[in-house]
Amino acid sequence: MHLVKVVEFGTSSDTDKDEDVKAYRSMRRKLIFSALFSFPVLVLSMGELVPGLKELLAELLPIKTNLFIQFILSIPVVFFFGSFIFSKGVKSVVKRKLNMFTLLSLGTSIAWGFSVVALFLPQIFPASLKMSNGLVPIYFEATVVIITLVILGQMLELLAHAKTNGAIKELLNLVPPTALVIRSGNEMVVPLAEVRVGDRVRVKPGEKIPGSVVTGGTINLNGSFIMIARKIGGDTLLARIIDMVNEASRSKAPIQRLADTVAAYFVQVVILVSLATLLIWGIGFSKWDHGIVNAIAVLIIACPCALGLATPVSIMVGTGKGAKSGILIKNAKAIEQMRRVDTLLVDKTGTLTVGKPKGTVLRGNGSYSDDDVLRLAASVDAFSEHPLAAAIVTAAKDKGLPLSDASDFVSITGMGVKARLNGHEVAVGNAKLLRELGGKSPYDEEYVRKLQDAGNTIMFVLDDSHIAGYIGVADPIKDTTKDAVRLLHEPKVRIVMLTGDNPVTAKAVAKTLGFDDFKAECMPEDKYSEVKRRQSSGAFVAMAGDGINDAPALAQADVGIAMGTGTDVAMESADITLVKGDLNGIAHAKVLSVLVMRNIKENLFFAFAYNAIGIPIAALGLLNPIFAGLAMALSSVSVLGNALRVKSIKLS
């Protein structure tokens, strides 16, 4: 048993998930009650078309009573269950952002308002509009059925969103509901929400680990250990991951803004077509009743519900699919742009490599022994958080070497570190640091080059500017890297490695992995400049990295990709985070982007084709408003169904 200082513990609240569920359930209730009120209206109105029912209704209910009952039953549907349609329609006009609710509210309000006036003031209408019984046609049934169908479409959209959040629920399920907390020497099981910062928590074999440095949600296979909660609730990495997926599913891709713009102009055109339909039927054919019905049918059939759903539902499904595959997408723009990436710049340490280097070769120079070199290096590196430094410190501890007290520690970005040990200035770093500090005394350059050719990173150890020796550190390449390079080369993505390593080692690694190019001895500003340089030459650049040094380049790239095993700063700067820190995730992200964008284009085609066919049919009087509403709902269902196909497609 040992003690682990835990960085984080627990997850965020289920607020977002609860809101989605509440919205869906609320819309489902509206649908149920709207259908209960609409069905009798439909029966009372259309009953005359059913043999036997026509006579029964005529016997039980005088026509005026029948119509009055329809009016009463339509009120809750219009003013309660479907009120959100009209409020959104009014907002769209006030804000001058016409959308699907503009057409829906306009069409249904005209149909219902006309029916109310026709019911109570039939005498004001000309004889040409009246039927043989002296009454004006009433459209309460069309109004309530259309509203019910709109509510159905909204509920299906919310259901689709809830389904895509399955990935988020799976992330939440990673964390156990309770924890075994040690307080005042006693062990007690408490709900996860009651764990406090500073609590000591025991994790038994086979249990899920609710925090990190041991990664949250993983399984403790063997042994038992105690860890300390340093972060809880919304501060944890898992909580931020969940928030990221939620935010991405709600964000808009650039293509969505185009669709919104098209929809706004489309709505204006539809209103003009509807008005023209009314006037042509009324003035041209003296059939105002037909004109009103057909104009309403045009408004309903042309409602861009499917157009409004085409992009966001695919984005929701895509981000959910990505999350399940360990690809966390910060915003919808990243999904759209990832497919365009033709150049990938990658950091080496922690991105291509495991990020856990080991000291493999030690050599003292001159009068310094190998142990002298390792002790000096580890005494300074003990203050550094760099993976290479950690490897050197670990090697010294494994040998049982005593470390000296260091002071005046300084980290020199992109070069190494230095500090004072027993009155001497000791530095550990790469060839750049050697040149910077003017390292003296000869060393075996040929031997160093052989180590570099083998892929070792060489760290020079300087004692008062004298080269005390050097340490060859090897960071194994991830097993999946070569396969990822092959997958990325298939769509002709050019892969370039950026590393702070020396040119010899960089060349050896690049050649082994089959990269197209490399740039060695990169400082953070060099990586940033390289991204800008390639962008200016016309390349669409993705940058993948895991450290603080990579953050500027990640932010500048067209798509920034962070390894989930890296630093928080890198993840905050990136558009996409790969939970597993696996380069294969980049190839899968590109495939996902292609699939989602293809799906969006298919949805947009369905939406526009449906409207192009439906509007003329409605204008010619061949489509009843009720069937127009049904067709509108079916178009939305087809878009939803097509978008949900993305969930079943394999990324590899």
Side-chain angles (χ1 to χ4, degrees):
M1 181 177 69
H2 58 282
L3 184 66
V4 177
K5 289 190 177 180
V6 178
V7 175
E8 35 189 71
F9 195 98
T11 64
S12 61
S13 67
D14 294 352
T15 302
D16 290 330
K17 183 182 70 172
D18 290 343
E19 286 179 359
D20 292 334
V21 172
K22 286 178 182 177
Y24 164 71
R25 289 177 178 171
S26 174
M27 195 62 69
R28 186 177 63 183
R29 283 194 297 271
K30 289 178 181 178
L31 175 64
I32 292 171
F33 284 110
S34 182
L36 288 175
F37 280 87
S38 299
F39 183 72
V41 175
L42 187 63
V43 171
L44 291 172
S45 172
M46 310 294 288
E48 61 181 22
L49 302 177
V50 181
L53 186 58
K54 175 181 178 181
E55 293 76 15
L56 180 62
L57 288 175
E59 183 180 340
L60 294 176
L61 297 172
I63 186 64
K64 273 280 189 178
T65 305
N66 182 317
L67 294 174
F68 187 75
I69 293 174
Q70 290 184 46
F71 165 68
I72 294 299
L73 290 173
S74 71
I75 290 175
V77 177
V78 174
F79 290 96
F80 294 98
F81 312 126
S83 60
F84 70 93
I85 298 172
F86 302 100
S87 63
K88 289 185 176 183
V90 171
K91 285 180 182 177
S92 71
V93 175
V94 172
K95 294 182 178 180
R96 297 182 181 180
K97 292 183 178 180
L98 305 184
N99 53 38
M100 57 177 276
F101 291 103
T102 313
L103 296 182
L104 288 172
S105 57
L106 187 60
T108 52
S109 61
I110 289 174
W112 192 82
F114 176 86
S115 300
V116 171
V117 176
L119 174 62
F120 292 102
L121 298 170
Q123 65 274 13
I124 69 172
F125 292 91
S128 61
L129 277 180
K130 295 180 180 178
M131 299 180 290
S132 58
N133 59 7
L135 297 175
V136 180
I138 301 294
Y139 304 108
F140 288 126
E141 85 287 351
T143 304
V144 297
V145 171
I146 289 168
I147 289 175
T148 302
L149 289 171
V150 173
I151 295 173
L152 171 63
Q154 293 293 294
M155 188 200 74
L156 290 173
E157 181 180 351
L158 290 169
L159 178 61
H161 194 191
K163 282 186 175 181
T164 58
N165 279 343
I168 299 174
K169 293 174 185 175
E170 289 184 14
L171 289 174
L172 287 169
N173 289 336
L174 286 175
V175 180
T178 61
L180 186 61
V181 177
I182 304 172
R183 292 177 183 165
S184 303
N186 298 318
E187 293 186 356
M188 60 185 76
V189 177
V190 301
L192 192 62
E194 294 181 14
V195 174
R196 300 190 296 263
V197 173
D199 271 343
R200 300 169 73 235
V201 182
R202 184 185 298 282
V203 181
K204 295 180 178 179
E207 290 185 337
K208 288 182 179 179
I209 299 167
S212 183
V213 177
V214 255
T215 304
T218 55
I219 305 294
N220 174 29
L221 292 178
N222 300 301
S224 172
F225 64 88
I226 298 172
M227 61 188 192
I228 300 175
R230 294 299 185 208
K231 291 183 180 180
I232 60 173
D235 294 331
T236 66
L237 174 59
L238 187 56
R240 295 202 303 276
I241 288 173
I242 292 167
D243 290 340
M244 189 186 300
V245 177
N246 264 323
E247 182 183 342
S249 68
R250 290 183 172 88
S251 62
K252 285 189 176 184
I255 196 172
Q256 172 66 33
R257 289 192 285 272
L258 175 62
D260 290 343
T261 302
V262 171
Y265 286 107
F266 176 75
V267 169
Q268 297 175 48
V269 172
V270 169
I271 292 173
L272 292 175
V273 172
S274 177
L275 182 60
T277 301
L278 172 64
L279 296 176
I280 291 172
W281 278 98
I283 298 174
F285 299 99
S286 299
K287 293 184 177 181
W288 288 100
D289 57 335
H290 286 69
I292 292 172
V293 173
N294 296 338
I296 291 171
V298 168
L299 290 173
I300 301 304
I301 194 70
C303 171
C305 300
L307 184 61
L309 287 173
T311 298
V313 73
S314 294
I315 294 296
M316 286 190 293
V317 175
T319 52
K321 175 77 174 178
K324 281 188 175 182
S325 303
I327 305 166
L328 303 178
I329 301 162
K330 184 182 288 186
N331 52 59
K333 182 181 178 183
I335 293 183
E336 182 169 343
Q337 294 200 337
M338 189 62 202
R339 83 189 198 284
R340 298 175 57 196
V341 169
D342 54 31
T343 303
L344 173 64
L345 307 182
V346 290
D347 172 54
K348 182 171 79 74
T349 304
T351 303
L352 302 175
T353 63
V354 175
K356 295 180 179 178
K358 298 179 179 179
T360 55
V361 180
L362 276 170
R363 176 167 286 196
N365 194 46
S367 61
Y368 293 89
S369 68
D370 292 354
D371 284 353
D372 290 337
V373 173
L374 182 57
R375 181 182 57 78
L376 289 171
S379 297
V380 177
D381 276 337
F383 294 87
S384 174
E385 294 183 358
H386 195 281
L388 295 178
I392 291 172
V393 172
T394 299
K397 288 182 177 179
D398 289 344
K399 277 197 165 189
L401 299 177
L403 303 187
S404 302
D405 293 332
S407 61
D408 301 330
F409 175 84
V410 177
S411 176
I412 307 170
T413 305
M415 298 186 192
V417 294
K418 64 179 182 178
R420 295 200 69 81
L421 300 179
N422 303 320
H424 296 265
E425 184 179 78
V426 177
V428 184
N430 56 25
K432 269 192 174 182
L433 183 69
L434 188 66
R435 293 193 295 269
E436 179 75 14
L437 299 181
K440 303 170 185 176
S441 63
Y443 65 95
D444 192 342
E445 295 184 33
E446 185 179 347
Y447 182 72
V448 167
R449 189 176 184 84
K450 285 182 180 179
L451 293 176
Q452 292 172 337
D453 283 335
N456 289 280
T457 297
I458 300 300
M459 306 298 290
F460 292 93
V461 181
L462 287 81
D463 186 3
D464 284 337
S465 298
H466 291 280
I467 300 176
Y470 37 85
I471 304 174
V473 183
D475 190 0
I477 301 293
K478 292 176 182 176
D479 295 335
T480 55
T481 299
K482 282 190 177 182
D483 190 47
V485 171
R486 178 185 58 79
L487 290 174
L488 287 164
H489 273 155
E490 285 179 4
K492 302 192 184 307
V493 175
R494 185 175 175 81
I495 307 174
V496 181
M497 182 180 70
L498 306 181
T499 177
D501 240 332
N502 65 85
V504 178
T505 301
K507 182 178 180 180
V509 174
K511 183 178 180 181
T512 300
L513 295 176
F515 287 166
D516 300 285
D517 200 359
F518 70 92
K519 187 175 177 66
E521 297 186 336
C522 284
M523 304 287 282
E525 57 269 25
D526 296 328
K527 294 180 181 180
Y528 172 80
S529 299
E530 185 67 12
V531 171
K532 291 193 70 174
R533 186 184 72 79
R534 290 184 180 270
Q535 287 174 324
S536 64
S537 65
F540 203 87
V541 180
M543 171 70 196
D546 75 328
I548 295 174
N549 293 348
D550 302 317
L554 290 172
Q556 173 61 32
D558 296 296
V559 181
I561 303 170
M563 301 293 116
T565 50
T567 64
D568 290 356
V569 175
M571 284 184 272
E572 289 296 326
S573 303
D575 302 297
I576 296 174
T577 297
L578 305 179
V579 175
K580 300 175 183 177
D582 184 347
L583 210 63
N584 269 321
I586 301 177
H588 296 162
K590 188 170 177 65
V591 172
L592 178 65
S593 174
V594 171
L595 288 175
V596 170
M597 293 310 299
R598 182 190 302 157
N599 193 263
I600 288 173
K601 290 174 182 177
E602 291 170 352
N603 289 344
L604 290 173
F605 172 79
F606 291 152
F608 280 116
Y610 155 83
N611 286 316
I613 296 170
I615 291 174
I617 294 175
L620 291 171
L622 302 175
L623 194 62
N624 182 283
I626 290 180
F627 293 110
L630 180 60
M632 174 199 66
L634 289 175
S635 71
S636 298
V637 171
S638 67
V639 166
L640 287 170
N642 186 54
L644 289 172
R645 286 192 310 110
V646 174
K647 292 181 69 175
S648 61
I649 298 174
K650 291 185 178 181
L651 299 180
S652 56

